[in-house]
């Protein structure tokens, strides 16, 4: 067996359970948003556990607030928000939104392709909890979120240089700061 | 206008302008208090900076990352087998749960089937971890509020559970028990009986703890109506697990998205109503009982059998094969030096961890190391809500709230 070629891993029994739901949902999405949906990838045809919907960066907030509330979707939980560095591909980054529907209950994944320096509209207006996740993506990958209320580094020190989860980031090295960051009273203003 | 700042580093701070409020007890004064990162009431190296009006928190911000160990980066630079040990150090109160979820995530990517016995043992492990984690959560929550002896009741049972885990894998805290496609070692003979005896004893202790604290006047005063987060707010902040269930969100991934053999065991999912500290405490206490039931059922159903998948890609060769055959030695060497390739693909595998949805989003490009190893820890999302939950409350309430959502720094910082 050549394990470098994609195998027909079924990733559990989700496909049998949700195939119809997913297909009708994707059909509805493409009908409603048209060219805003760049590409859809279904399981089996592509090596993925749930369908992936690639959305144009400009339209991501519109699409996600639609799938959050529409009765056919109700993906009301933002399970995870992260990014992948696909260097040397262009566009370089993919921002990944893993959504979960409490009522179905099934999952779907949305992705946005972003090139270096391009920014993505923030999701904080749809889910307040996206705030820190977007800060983490900014911290780790350097992807900026347009309209984010407080886009600072979160895991690394604010004085840190570089974005550690990029593929071209060196694996060894130090950045040592003599003091901890003092209290920042500007963050406590109303 | 008066203002105090713990400002040793010479950073000039602007005075905060606050409009005069006639009901304001303290005039116009506001005090900024820095709590943590090393503070006995903070669970791990967390920091909260709060602007206080008297004792009331008006606004605050939280910081973390002091124990950031770049686990996601390590996941891209270590083989899948090597990464097992790093999962222990995520939520170190329930290391077994992380081990199990990680193993499931990689097996799902590879299409590896694990034999029955291994799955039953894994389920016992996950539930043992849940009991341990909840015991420490409710115990420490009570300690923070001032009820010390309550914690010690649970602590004894927790140590007993660690002894059971030690019999499984030799370690008490950092277990590294699962392997991709199996387990490190089989459970020793008679282990199920010991587990059952422990369950019987723990049930009594839980009842005792329940009687000791639940109706206590001071406990009720400190927890009921404190840190209320309703259903809508929980959904906004992606709450999962007991903290979400305390607000009335009727979801448990063990029941709704069953993995392993959770379909074959019976258990109830306790749901709270008010979403305050007390409901979170009650949910956790009831979940301990349900977990004990699950452990009991698993211990009944477990049968002797293999604990390793026979998939050649992941099976670690037995020691007598390694020592006595050339092929076995080569296999062993290749396995540990190079690792095994995982077919290209991506999957986001979740499990109802002790504090909520624990997820591993792994993207593979066909190499022995992951292309992207994202760890979704529930603590991050819960900690984010600490500021909105504690605003308007007293500073002592913040301590109660922090204990009730059970932030584990290892999982928070990754």
């Amino acid at each position: 067996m050549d394990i470098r070629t994609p195998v027909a891993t079924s990733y559990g029994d989700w496909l049998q359970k949700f195939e119809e739901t997913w297909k009708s949902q994707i059909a509805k999405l493409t009908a409603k948003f048209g060219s805003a949906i760049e590409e859809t990838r279904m399981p089996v045809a592509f090596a993925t556990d749930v369908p992936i919907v690639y959305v144009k960066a400009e339209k991501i907030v519109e699409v996600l607030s639609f799938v959050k509330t529409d009765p056919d979707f109700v993906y009301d939980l933002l399970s995870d928000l992260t990014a992948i560095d696909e260097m040397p591909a262009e566009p370089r980054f993919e921002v990944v939104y893993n959504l979960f529907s409490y009522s179905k209950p099934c999952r779907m994944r949305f992705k946005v392709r972003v090139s270096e320096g391009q920014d993505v509209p923030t999701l904080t207006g749809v889910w307040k909890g996206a705030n820190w996740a977007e800060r983490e993506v900014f911290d780790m990958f350097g992807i900026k979120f347009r309209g984010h209320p407080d886009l600072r580094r979160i895991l690394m020190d604010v004085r840190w240089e570089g974005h550690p989860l990029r593929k071209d980031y060196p694996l060894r090295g130090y950045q040592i700061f003599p003091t901890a960051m003092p209290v920042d009273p500007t963050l406590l203003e109303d | 206008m008066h203002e105090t700042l713990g400002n040793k580093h010479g950073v000039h701070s602007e005075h905060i302008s606050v409009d005069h409020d006639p009901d304001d007890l303290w005039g116009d004064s506001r005090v900024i208090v820095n709590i943590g990162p090393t503070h006995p009431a903070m669970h791990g190296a967390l920091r909260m900076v709060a602007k206080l009006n008297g004792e009331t928190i008006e606004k605050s911000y939280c910081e973390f990352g002091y124990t950031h160990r770049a686990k996601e980066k390590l996941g891209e630079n270590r083989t899948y087998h090597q990464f097992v040990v790093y999962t222990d150090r995520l939520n170190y109160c329930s290391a077994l749960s992380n081990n199990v979820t990680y193993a499931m995530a990689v097996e799902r990517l590879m299409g590896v089937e694990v034999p029955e016995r291994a799955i039953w043992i894994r389920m016992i492990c996950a539930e043992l971890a849940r009991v341990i984690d909840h015991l420490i959560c409710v115990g420490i929550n009570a300690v923070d509020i001032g009820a010390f002896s309550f914690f010690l009741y649970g602590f004894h049972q927790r140590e007993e559970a660690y002894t059971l885990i030690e019999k499984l894998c030799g370690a008490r805290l950092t277990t590294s028990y699962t392997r991709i496609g199996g387990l490190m070692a089989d459970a020793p003979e008679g282990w199920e009986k010991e587990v059952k005896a422990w369950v019987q004893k723990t049930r009594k202790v839980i009842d005792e703890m329940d009687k000791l604290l639940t109706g206590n006047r001071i406990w009720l005063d400190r927890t009921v109506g404190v840190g209320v987060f309703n259903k809508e707010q929980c959904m906004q902040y992606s709450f999962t697990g007991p903290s979400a269930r305390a607000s009335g969100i009727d979801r448990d991934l063990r029941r709704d998205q069953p993995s392993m053999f959770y379909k074959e065991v019976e258990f109830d999912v306790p749901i709270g109503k008010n979403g305050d500290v007390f409901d979170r405490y009650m949910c956790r206490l009831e979940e301990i009982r349900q977990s004990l039931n699950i452990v009991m059922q698993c211990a009944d159903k477990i049968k002797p059998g293999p604990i390793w998948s026979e998939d050649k890609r992941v099976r670690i060769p037995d020691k007598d094969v390694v020592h006595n055959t050339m092929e076995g030695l080569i296999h062993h060497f290749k396995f540990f030096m190079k690792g095994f390739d995982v077919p290209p693909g991506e999957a986001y595998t979740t499990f109802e961890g002790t504090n909520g949805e624990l997820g591993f989003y792994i993207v593979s490009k066909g190499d022995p190391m992951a292309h992207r190893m994202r760890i979704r820890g529930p603590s991050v999302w819960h900690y984010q809500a600490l500021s909105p939950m504690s605003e308007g409350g007293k500073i002592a309430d913040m301590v109660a709230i922090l204990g009730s959502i059970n932030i584990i720094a290892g999982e928070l910082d990754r």
Side-chain angles (χ1 to χ4, degrees):
Chain A
M1 182 176 64
D2 181 11
I3 56 174
R4 284 204 167 251
T5 54
V7 287
T9 312
S10 58
Y11 303 105
D13 57 353
W14 289 7
L15 189 68
Q16 289 91 47
K17 269 192 203 161
F18 303 120
E19 193 170 14
E20 293 308 309
T21 322
W22 284 336
K23 275 189 177 151
S24 66
Q25 283 176 346
I26 283 178
K28 195 170 174 188
L29 268 184
T30 35
K32 183 159 170 65
F33 291 99
S35 61
I37 310 291
E38 287 177 343
E39 190 189 346
T40 54
R41 291 186 174 179
M42 281 296 280
V44 182
F46 290 89
T48 171
D49 57 339
V50 294
I52 307 175
V53 181
Y54 284 89
V55 185
K56 278 200 177 121
E58 299 311 311
K59 291 280 182 184
I60 184 69
V61 174
E62 205 180 308
V63 172
L64 290 188
S65 47
F66 172 73
V67 300
K68 184 190 173 191
T69 48
D70 189 87
D72 287 344
F73 294 83
V74 218
Y75 287 104
D76 45 3
L77 181 81
L78 177 68
S79 235
D80 194 17
L81 194 165
T82 184
I84 309 171
D85 184 2
E86 296 286 1
M87 199 183 81
E90 190 55 46
R92 180 174 171 178
F93 300 106
E94 281 180 356
V95 180
V96 185
Y97 305 85
N98 272 310
L99 303 190
F100 180 57
S101 166
Y102 263 135
S103 51
K104 302 278 181 205
C106 66
R107 291 176 188 273
M108 205 186 255
R109 189 171 303 139
F110 290 78
K111 286 188 179 182
V112 171
R113 294 196 180 98
V114 200
S115 42
E116 175 89 66
Q118 192 192 340
D119 54 5
V120 186
T122 178
L123 205 59
T124 44
V126 187
W127 281 283
K128 280 185 191 154
N131 188 326
W132 281 16
E134 287 180 350
R135 277 175 67 187
E136 193 180 323
V137 170
F138 164 70
D139 188 0
M140 291 292 148
F141 293 92
I143 301 170
K144 287 209 169 70
F145 289 88
R146 198 185 324 127
H148 191 284
D150 180 28
L151 198 63
R152 286 178 295 131
R153 283 184 183 274
I154 189 163
L155 286 170
M156 315 304 284
D157 195 289
V158 289
R159 294 163 287 189
W160 193 269
E161 280 173 25
H163 300 285
L165 275 180
R166 289 189 173 196
K167 290 284 175 190
D168 52 1
Y169 188 84
L171 285 182
R172 281 171 192 274
Y174 295 96
Q175 290 183 38
I176 295 169
F177 309 107
T179 54
M181 281 302 287
V183 168
D184 181 0
T186 56
L187 295 172
L188 292 168
E189 282 163 19
D190 293 319
Chain B
M1 188 178 291
H2 170 73
E3 180 188 346
T4 317
L5 267 178
N7 193 347
K8 282 184 189 167
H9 305 292
V11 174
H12 177 71
S13 58
E14 297 287 321
H15 279 263
I16 298 160
S17 69
V18 182
D19 294 331
H20 181 73
D21 175 5
D23 297 329
D24 203 336
L25 190 66
W26 288 67
D28 279 341
S29 70
R30 297 292 184 276
V31 181
I32 293 179
V33 174
N34 176 46
I35 312 158
T38 47
H39 187 278
M42 302 301 271
H43 294 214
L46 322 172
R47 182 192 199 185
M48 181 191 233
V49 182
K51 184 170 78 174
L52 301 183
N53 174 18
E55 264 193 276
T56 308
I57 299 178
E58 284 197 334
K59 193 150 171 80
S60 61
Y61 71 89
C62 294
E63 272 181 9
F64 63 102
Y66 296 95
T67 51
H68 178 55
R69 293 142 298 165
K71 286 216 185 298
E72 294 182 6
K73 190 80 175 173
L74 282 165
E76 297 170 10
N77 293 285
R78 294 283 182 276
T79 65
Y80 288 97
H81 171 71
Q82 286 170 334
F83 194 68
V84 173
V85 293
Y86 293 101
T87 59
D88 295 338
R89 281 101 176 144
L90 288 169
N91 182 345
Y92 35 74
C93 287
S94 53
L96 280 168
S97 198
N98 305 329
N99 291 161
V100 170
T101 315
Y102 173 69
M104 270 169 32
V106 181
E107 283 154 10
R108 193 149 166 261
L109 264 176
M110 301 183 76
V112 172
E113 295 280 336
V114 186
E116 266 192 34
R117 183 176 169 83
I119 295 180
W120 286 117
I121 295 180
R122 281 180 183 189
M123 273 173 71
I124 296 180
C125 286
E127 296 308 320
L128 272 182
R130 196 182 314 276
V131 173
I132 292 171
D133 199 300
H134 284 353
L135 277 176
I136 203 105
C137 174
V138 294
I140 293 289
N141 198 359
V143 169
D144 285 347
I145 301 181
F148 190 73
S149 50
F150 174 77
F151 171 60
L152 294 177
Y153 282 72
F155 201 81
H156 181 82
Q157 279 321 101
R158 192 170 152 263
E159 285 300 311
E160 296 286 320
Y162 275 137
T163 308
L164 288 174
I165 293 170
E166 194 179 359
K167 283 180 180 159
L168 267 187
C169 59
R172 292 172 79 85
L173 193 71
T174 50
T175 50
S176 306
Y177 181 50
T178 58
R179 295 286 179 269
I180 316 300
L183 299 169
M184 185 197 100
D186 200 352
E189 217 175 303
W191 188 71
E192 300 97 85
K193 284 201 190 92
E194 287 174 51
V195 169
K196 279 187 194 169
W198 174 80
V199 169
Q200 302 284 19
K201 181 117 188 286
T202 312
R203 275 186 184 146
K204 282 186 200 135
V205 174
I206 297 297
D207 289 345
E208 225 173 350
M209 287 169 78
D210 195 358
K211 276 182 209 152
L212 183 67
L213 193 65
T214 308
N216 184 302
R217 183 71 229 198
I218 306 168
W219 174 252
L220 292 176
D221 282 349
R222 290 297 307 276
T223 56
V224 175
V226 171
V228 177
F229 229 44
N230 62 28
K231 235 174 172 171
E232 172 55 28
Q233 284 168 310
C234 282
M235 294 307 290
Q236 280 282 337
Y237 283 91
S238 296
F239 267 44
T240 46
S243 304
R245 287 194 282 275
S247 304
I249 297 175
D250 185 7
R251 279 292 168 238
D252 187 321
L253 293 181
R254 289 175 295 171
R255 184 193 65 194
D256 304 321
Q257 184 197 295
S259 49
M260 302 197 267
F261 290 145
Y262 275 104
K263 261 185 194 157
E264 295 174 29
V265 292
E266 277 178 29
F267 60 98
D268 293 330
V269 178
I271 308 293
K273 205 166 73 181
N274 304 322
D276 53 8
V277 176
F278 184 72
D279 277 20
R280 282 179 216 128
Y281 155 77
M282 285 307 279
C283 268
R284 283 209 160 83
L285 209 58
E286 189 52 36
E287 268 186 36
I288 296 177
R289 294 200 177 102
Q290 298 302 329
S291 286
L292 292 174
N293 289 347
I294 299 177
V295 171
M296 206 62 168
Q297 293 174 50
C298 293
D300 279 333
K301 291 187 177 177
I302 192 167
K303 285 185 203 74
I307 52 156
W308 268 101
S309 158
E310 280 313 317
D311 194 316
K312 285 278 183 293
R313 292 175 295 175
V314 293
R315 172 81 162 96
I316 298 176
D318 285 328
K319 280 287 174 283
D320 64 324
V321 181
V322 174
H323 293 156
N324 297 316
T325 66
M326 182 52 87
E327 291 76 16
L329 185 64
I330 293 170
H331 186 177
H332 179 91
F333 182 80
K334 292 279 271 184
F335 186 95
F336 287 102
M337 298 310 287
K338 189 179 165 290
F340 50 84
D341 291 349
V342 170
E346 56 177 82
Y348 176 59
T349 311
T350 53
F351 176 64
E352 183 72 33
T354 48
N355 292 318
E357 180 178 311
L358 174 67
F360 284 88
Y361 174 53
I362 306 178
V363 182
S364 169
K365 297 268 172 179
D367 301 318
M369 296 181 221
H371 177 69
R372 177 85 173 95
M373 172 77 72
R374 162 74 180 170
I375 303 157
R376 190 259 192 220
S379 287
V380 187
W381 304 80
H382 292 164
Y383 187 47
Q384 184 172 195
L386 180 64
S387 276
M389 262 198 273
S390 49
E391 262 157 39
K394 300 276 186 283
I395 195 149
D397 293 339
M398 187 279 285
V399 176
I401 296 166
L402 182 68
S404 75
I405 50 177
N406 199 17
I407 306 299
I408 309 289
E411 186 179 66
L412 183 65
D413 297 340
R414 279 159 287 140

